[in-house]
Amino acid sequence: KLEEEWKKLGSDVIQNLPPIPPSLVDDKDPSSLKAWYLDDETSKAAYRTSSLKPGRKLDSPAVKLSQLRELGIIYYRINLNDFSVVNQIVKERQYKHTDEIKISQTCKDEQFLDKWFVEHCNEDEQVRLITDGTCYLDVRSKQDTWIRLHLQPGDLIVIASGLYHRGTLDEDDYCAMFRIFRDAQRWAPLYRSEKRTETQSSRVQYLKTLKKGNVATDLGFK
């Protein structure tokens, strides 16, 4: 009986994984990630009630997934019952650490929410996978204005190192996400308000790559 139970679990041999599939750039798919330019009020640095609102800038065009790729936001749509693409990314990009957090006004203290909304970048690229609820991620455009991404369950994004960003809940007030990153020592945020951040190697390299035209391609993403 014990042998039968082991057989049900399958082989313990590590299977080879196929290459990471191309990221998604089809804006016509209704389930795809949506992004837009922020208005002046929602763009303000202080975390406030208006930070939770969509804040879409009037008369501005929607931001395309191809534009996000150019900035270093690589997008995948994940079936939450099948983590094979996540495993491919973890293996190929050599990620070593992961955690899962659940965020709401009651599950996380206000200090966390305030810090999450402070503009920063990181030394290493990192992954966010939304497993439940929704939230916003704001990233800087080439013109240094804010672009807001609305993340929903199944949305996975890779954030390039050196890209300024910040996060916030939306008005539904709940989000659960996996955070995946390479090195715990390089997890600490580099805040834009600190002068040393602009001279950090990750930020300098990001700006050089951005000038080439497409950060995602330069990082090796299809």
Side-chain angles (χ1 to χ4, degrees), residues 167-179:
T168 179
L169 294 166
D170 61 16
E171 292 177 296
D172 288 339
D173 190 33
Y174 179 73
C175 180
M177 70 171 76
F178 276 114
R179 303 187 297 182

Side-chain angles (χ1 to χ4, degrees), residues 101 103 108-117 179:
I101 58 173
I103 312 165
K108 282 286 183 181
D109 56 40
E110 292 183 1
Q111 188 177 23
F112 174 88
L113 296 171
D114 287 339
K115 287 183 177 180
W116 193 27
F117 197 66
R179 303 187 297 182

Side-chain angles (χ1 to χ4, degrees), residues 103-218:
I103 312 165
S104 75
Q105 299 287 342
T106 53
C107 292
K108 282 286 183 181
D109 56 40
E110 292 183 1
Q111 188 177 23
F112 174 88
L113 296 171
D114 287 339
K115 287 183 177 180
W116 193 27
F117 197 66
V118 176
E119 184 174 3
H120 64 281
C121 63
N122 297 89
E123 288 186 82
D124 276 344
E125 71 178 46
Q126 49 195 280
V127 171
R128 298 288 183 275
L129 170 60
I130 307 303
T131 56
D132 194 14
T134 52
C135 68
Y136 293 126
L137 182 81
D138 299 340
V139 300
R140 286 291 184 181
S141 70
K142 292 180 179 180
Q143 294 73 37
D144 206 29
T145 56
W146 281 119
I147 293 173
R148 172 154 286 187
L149 287 60
H150 195 208
L151 301 174
Q152 304 185 59
D155 285 342
L156 181 150
I157 58 170
V158 181
I159 306 171
S161 63
L163 168 60
Y164 283 132
H165 60 281
R166 64 184 186 182
T168 179
L169 294 166
D170 61 16
E171 292 177 296
D172 288 339
D173 190 33
Y174 179 73
C175 180
M177 70 171 76
F178 276 114
R179 303 187 297 182
I180 308 172
F181 48 103
R182 284 177 176 162
D183 192 330
Q185 306 304 319
R186 296 162 70 87
W187 173 250
L190 302 172
Y191 294 111
R192 189 171 188 175
S193 58
E194 299 176 1
K195 293 182 179 179
R196 66 184 183 93
T197 299
E198 281 297 311
T199 59
Q200 291 290 317
S201 59
S202 57
R203 178 62 183 169
V204 172
Q205 182 60 43
Y206 173 77
L207 292 175
K208 288 181 179 178
T209 307
L210 186 64
K211 288 181 179 179
K212 294 180 182 179
N214 195 309
V215 175
T217 300
D218 199 78

